[in-house]
Each structure stands twice: as structure tokens, then as C-alpha cells.
Amino acid sequence: MQNQDISVKEIDETRQGEALEMVAKGGSGKKLYIESYGCAMNFSDSEIVASVLIDEGFETTKVMEEADVIFVNTCAIRDNAEQRVRGRLDQFRKVKKSKPDMVIGVMGCMAERLKSKLLEEEKLVDIVVGPDSYRDLPNLVRVAESGQKAVNVLLSREETYADINPVRLGGNGVSAFVSITRGCDNMCSFCVVPFTRGRERSRDPESIVAECTQLLANGYKEVTLLGQNVDSYLWGGGGLKKDIIARGDLTGTVSFAELLIMVAKISPELRVRFSTSHPKDMHDDVLYAMAEYHNICSYIHLPVQSGSTRLLELMNRGYSREWYFERMAKIKEIVPNCGLSTDIITGFCTETEEDHQDTLSLMQEVGFDFAYMFKYSERPGTAAAKKMEDDIPEEIKQRRLAEVIEIQAKNSHESNKKDLGKTFEVLVEGTSKKSEEMLQGRNPQNKVIVFPKENFKKGDYVNVLVTDCTSATLLGTAVK
Ligand code: 5AD
Ligand code: SF4
């Protein structure tokens, strides 16, 4: 089977890779074109970059050929994510041949991972900028325009871009991402993120509440609080999480559950979501907050990665299969009807058939509504790359992935069938892709529901009775 490591997340990444138009403000007249790949955090970072450059007077364009400056915000999490970016860089290069003054910049995780090596490998790239250096972009662009190569890949202990007002790009005007932490201290052995995004630091809760309040005032109805590990959010006046913990006194700090409540209290009209949770850090206080506040959506994305305790140890995940089951049981107890999704990696180093069966049985037992599924991709510099052999043959990784996908397809369909006859509050995001006569939105559990338009519009909350489903979508009709 050809490249089956294209799960829904990958499709999402591709969608996010669509050209993002920036709103023009001011006047150098220079045109900027930006593309974003990877996770929601990258998408959110592009909105910060847009803000920084628009303040410098850039105008934006959807047409790559018109641009004076092109930026691509990159992902390094798996090799295929990097290959996709390299493919795009080839296309940018062709455009630059006919427009030699054009500046091409690479930002994000691939920039941080490869640093100035990227300039050698991709000769026509002019700027390489890591995730903590976006304030330096105006300067880097000037250097590049003077004909020199510009690089800033310094990682920061403090940077959270808390004071930058992101320019909302390419969204639906209803739902926005708000970043609450940067970096990651977990060091999962397979993962490159701690190296590309640095140490974990949390953003000032007041700036988060202010951003969400402004979004509501601008007509948004839903915020998704973003972090590599949101449960680990801890505000203690700034600085690295590890330094706050080392102080030994948590008086006056703000935890993730407390932050969630602060955001939920802004208005019952504003839905609150969050991503990504971590099984080792997801404590009951978050679940009680979800149970108490109607506008905190009943949905948790809790990546398990593997169902085998032996593999979880090798992955340095900090929990066992049993711990994960216990967390699932608690979610179901405290937040009944909670939507659940996960991430799974097949073919990690030394994975036996028995380990793989453990993953399949865990999936069967939990019955996730949704999953993002990947083949293991060795990332240079990670603990797994240094200490373990990537010893599972490609065809076995592929076959195991196919088996995982098959179980998930059944689980998703089963989960949707269970919703038949139920009524959900749906936040309308826009017209359905298939018909102008239909609207689509999400229920709190994060499932997409399509229903006839009637007189409803984007941004409305509508109670919808589910009457039919496919494995991917629920179909229904509005009820009074
Ligand atoms: N190979 C495959 N998948 C990976 N992920 C992270 N690193 C790798 C890797 N090296 C997956 C994990 C994580 C998701 C964002 O990407 O499942 O939760
Ligand atoms: Fe990577 Fe683990 Fe951090 Fe997630 S929690 S970003 S998988 S190191």
C-alpha cells in the first residue's frame, strides 16, 4: 500500500498548508506570502509572524508569484513532513529564478532542527528562523534584502509572545487557537519537539484571558488553548517551568485547571477547548472543571502512543497501560459522554507482535471516537535515534499501521452510530463542503455534524438531532 501514513492529521496538515492570506495594514507595499504546515501550534505561530510583519508595513498576497517575501512555517515531527516542505521549496525556487530579488524564508521546527545547514542544503533559502525568534523577523528580512543570508535559531527561556496580538489567518471567524505554553520538557524518546521548541514555559494568564475576551468581542465563539502538554501549564510570574518547580513553593501560581476556569468564566457564549493533554499529567481537577462549566467542551485528545507498557517505558512516556486505563475510567466517571481521541505510533523500536496486539486491544477496549495514527519515523538527535535501533522493517510498520487504522475506522463508525437519536448543541462553523443548503459545525465532543441550513448562520449555537451518520460525519436536523 502506498504511504499509508496519511491519517486525518496529515490531511489536516495539508489543509493548513493552504496559502494563508494576511490582512494588509500599512504601507511598505512589499508583498508577503506565507504557508503553514504541521500542528495547530504552527498555525498559531504563523498568526504571530503575520502580526510582526504587518506592523512592519507588509501587505499580503495569496499569489505566490506576486510575493517579495515568501515564508514557509515548517514541521519536523516525521520525515515525510520535512519531505513535503522540501517539495514546496523546490516550487518556490522555480518562482525565484524569474524574480531573483525575492526573499525565501523557512521558519518553525525544520528551521530549528537543521539551522544553517538548511542554507547549504537548500541554496536559494535566504532566511532561517526558529520558533522563538519571530520578533527578529523585520531585522532578518532586512539582512536578506541586502543580499546576505540571515539566521536566528536561538531558543528562549522566556519568550511566549504574550503581548503580540495575532492576526487571524485563514480561519472560519468562529473558532481560534490561543497558545498558552511553548516548548516541552517531556523528552519522549521518539520526539524532536523538545529540541525544536525548547524548554517549557507558560504564558501569563492575564494575556490569555485578554486575548480570548477580544476574540469574543470580534465575533469568535470558540477558543482552543494550545500547548504541547497543556496539563503541564504552570504560571509563576514567568520563566521556565522547571525553575518554578525548583522554587518548591507553588503559592500564587496558576495551574491549567485554574486557567481553564478563568477562560470559561469570560462568557458562557464562548466555548473552550484545549490540546494536547498528556496521560501522565492529566489530573482530576481538569475533569472537575470540565464537568462544572458547560462551555468547556467535553472532549479530550489524550495521546497513548502504544498499548504496551514495555514500549511506553522505552518511549519515556511516564505512564503504563494500566495508568492510561485508570485515566480513561476517571474521564468517563467525571465527564460522562466525553469525546476521546488519541495518537498512536506503530513500529517503534523493538515493537513485537505482542506489543502491537496490546495496542490493538487497548484501542478496542477504550473505543476512541477518533485517532491520529502514524508509522514511527526516526528523528535525528532524539534519545531513540541515539540509543535504539530503528529495527522494525518498513513493511511490518506499514501492516501494523493498516491494522490500527482498520480498528479505528470501525470504532469511529460505532461511535457515530451510538449518537443516532441524540441531540447535541452544535456551533455552526459555515456551510457544508458538499452543499450550500447545509451547514456544518461541531458538537462539544468535537464531532462534525451537518444539517439543513434553514435560517441559521455561522456562529449560531443550534440544537441538532442526529438522524444518520457515516464513519466520518453525523447528519441531523435542527430541533427547537
Ligand atoms: N514518528 C512518528 N510519529 C511521531 N509523533 C511524534 N514523533 C513521532 C515520530 N518520530 C506523533 C506522536 C505525537 C504526534 C503529534 O506525532 O503520536 O503525539
Ligand atoms: Fe513530543 Fe512527548 Fe513533548 Fe508531545 S509530550 S511534544 S510527544 S516530547
Side-chain angles (χ1 to χ4, degrees):
M1 219 177 302
Q2 200 211 353
N3 193 8
Q4 217 180 348
D5 190 7
I6 298 188
S7 63
V8 177
K9 187 160 212 167
E10 300 283 323
I11 292 165
D12 235 31
E13 285 167 3
T14 315
R15 186 177 63 77
Q16 288 172 1
E18 286 165 8
L20 301 171
E21 190 185 15
M22 293 184 182
V23 184
K25 173 184 140 194
S28 72
K30 272 185 274 173
K31 290 209 167 122
L32 175 68
Y33 173 92
I34 183 168
E35 277 186 16
S36 186
Y37 293 85
C39 62
M41 188 65 91
N42 255 11
F43 187 79
S44 166
D45 278 1
S46 289
E47 300 187 328
I48 287 165
V49 166
S51 177
V52 169
L53 289 174
I54 284 170
D55 276 349
E56 279 294 294
F58 275 85
E59 285 177 19
T60 61
T61 176
K62 275 184 179 172
V63 186
M64 187 211 314
E65 289 77 8
E66 264 179 27
D68 299 293
V69 178
I70 288 181
F71 272 110
V72 55
N73 198 350
T74 60
C75 174
I77 201 130
R78 285 170 291 278
D79 185 56
N80 58 5
E82 290 200 1
Q83 293 318 323
R84 193 175 308 143
V85 167
R86 286 186 194 276
R88 266 321 260 164
L89 285 174
D90 277 346
Q91 282 165 294
F92 296 154
R93 245 193 304 269
K94 282 186 195 127
V95 178
K96 184 168 164 140
K97 282 216 171 102
S98 59
K99 202 172 173 185
D101 289 341
M102 178 185 264
V103 169
I104 298 180
V106 180
M107 59 195 198
C109 288
M110 194 174 159
E112 190 64 49
R113 189 178 89 70
L114 293 168
K115 304 188 168 62
S116 47
K117 250 173 79 185
L118 199 55
L119 296 175
E120 292 150 32
E121 288 174 24
E122 305 282 344
K123 294 249 178 312
L124 292 177
V125 167
D126 306 293
I127 299 175
V128 175
V129 56
D132 284 346
S133 304
Y134 297 145
R135 285 181 203 269
D136 196 25
L137 275 171
N139 171 46
L140 295 172
V141 170
R142 276 191 288 275
V143 171
E145 282 171 344
S146 76
Q148 293 162 273
K149 301 284 180 192
V151 183
N152 189 344
V153 286
L154 286 177
L155 288 173
S156 162
R157 300 169 63 88
E158 299 282 341
E159 183 61 271
T160 59
Y161 301 113
D163 58 315
I164 293 184
N165 200 5
V167 171
R168 303 295 159 186
L169 299 169
N172 54 19
V174 172
S175 184
F177 295 126
V178 174
S179 109
I180 65 163
T181 68
R182 297 187 73 82
C184 185
D185 281 356
N186 283 328
M187 302 302 275
C188 299
S189 61
F190 52 79
C191 186
V192 76
V193 168
F195 303 95
T196 60
R197 288 189 165 265
R199 299 305 300 257
E200 184 182 313
R201 64 223 101 114
S202 297
R203 178 179 169 193
D204 179 350
E206 279 179 27
S207 74
I208 296 169
V209 170
E211 187 176 330
C212 296
T213 307
Q214 190 57 48
L215 281 164
L216 181 69
N218 292 348
Y220 284 81
K221 293 286 181 66
E222 183 176 89
V223 291
T224 302
L225 306 181
L226 286 183
Q228 245 67 48
N229 174 358
V230 287
D231 298 301
S232 184
Y233 177 90
L234 184 67
W235 171 253
L240 295 183
K241 158 120 180 201
K242 75 173 176 61
D243 296 338
I244 298 170
I245 299 280
R247 286 205 307 251
D249 175 13
L250 296 186
T251 324
T253 57
V254 177
S255 70
F256 178 56
E258 289 163 333
L259 176 73
L260 256 184
I261 292 171
M262 287 166 78
V263 177
K265 279 182 167 169
I266 294 172
S267 163
E269 281 288 295
L270 184 69
R271 270 187 175 180
V272 189
R273 297 186 182 277
F274 51 88
S275 184
T276 301
S277 305
H278 195 301
K280 82 175 162 59
D281 296 317
M282 196 211 56
H283 297 301
D284 296 351
D285 54 355
V286 170
L287 301 177
Y288 287 118
M290 294 173 77
E292 194 167 329
Y293 289 85
H294 170 78
N295 58 331
I296 304 180
C297 288
S298 303
Y299 167 65
I300 302 181
H301 178 61
L302 200 64
V304 66
Q305 315 296 0
S306 168
S308 152
T309 297
R310 188 185 75 83
L311 247 71
L312 289 170
E313 256 168 46
L314 285 180
M315 290 174 165
N316 195 31
R317 289 288 290 176
Y319 56 87
S320 62
R321 174 185 174 90
E322 290 67 33
W323 173 277
Y324 193 86
F325 278 135
E326 190 278 333
R327 290 290 77 202
M328 283 289 145
K330 263 288 183 255
I331 295 172
K332 288 175 184 171
E333 176 194 322
I334 302 173
V335 192
N337 304 319
C338 189
L340 288 169
S341 62
T342 199
D343 289 350
I344 284 170
I345 298 177
T346 67
F348 184 64
C349 313
T350 78
E351 186 185 66
T352 61
E353 217 43 49
E354 202 185 335
D355 295 319
H356 172 58
Q357 289 303 325
D358 281 348
T359 298
L360 298 182
S361 71
L362 182 139
M363 292 177 76
Q364 216 121 33
E365 196 148 328
V366 174
F368 296 105
D369 301 297
F370 193 78
Y372 301 98
M373 298 154 283
F374 313 103
K375 277 185 296 187
Y376 172 57
S377 163
E378 186 178 82
R379 306 313 290 135
T382 57
K386 283 187 192 150
K387 296 190 204 135
M388 294 172 230
E389 196 189 333
D390 181 10
D391 57 352
I392 307 302
E394 183 59 24
E395 60 277 13
I396 294 184
K397 284 184 184 172
Q398 188 65 63
R399 193 254 302 154
R400 290 179 184 165
L401 179 66
E403 289 174 7
V404 160
I405 289 174
E406 196 185 325
I407 291 208
Q408 188 49 46
K410 281 194 196 126
N411 280 349
S412 294
H413 205 176
E414 280 308 311
S415 154
N416 280 356
K417 280 197 256 177
K418 280 191 200 140
D419 288 339
L420 292 174
K422 292 186 190 163
T423 299
F424 294 103
E425 184 183 71
V426 173
L427 172 59
V428 180
E429 293 174 4
T431 17
S432 138
K433 282 175 210 123
K434 290 194 182 138
S435 160
E436 282 289 309
E437 295 311 306
M438 307 288 273
L439 292 175
Q440 79 170 44
R442 279 166 207 271
N443 67 5
Q445 291 75 5
N446 207 33
K447 285 189 184 174
V448 173
I449 304 192
V450 175
F451 62 99
K453 197 173 191 169
E454 300 178 42
N455 292 322
F456 301 109
K457 57 182 190 316
K458 193 156 113 167
D460 284 349
Y461 286 106
V462 184
N463 287 322
V464 179
L465 169 72
V466 177
T467 52
D468 201 357
C469 72
T470 66
S471 60
T473 314
L474 300 177
L475 305 162
T477 48
V479 288
K480 296 286 163 305

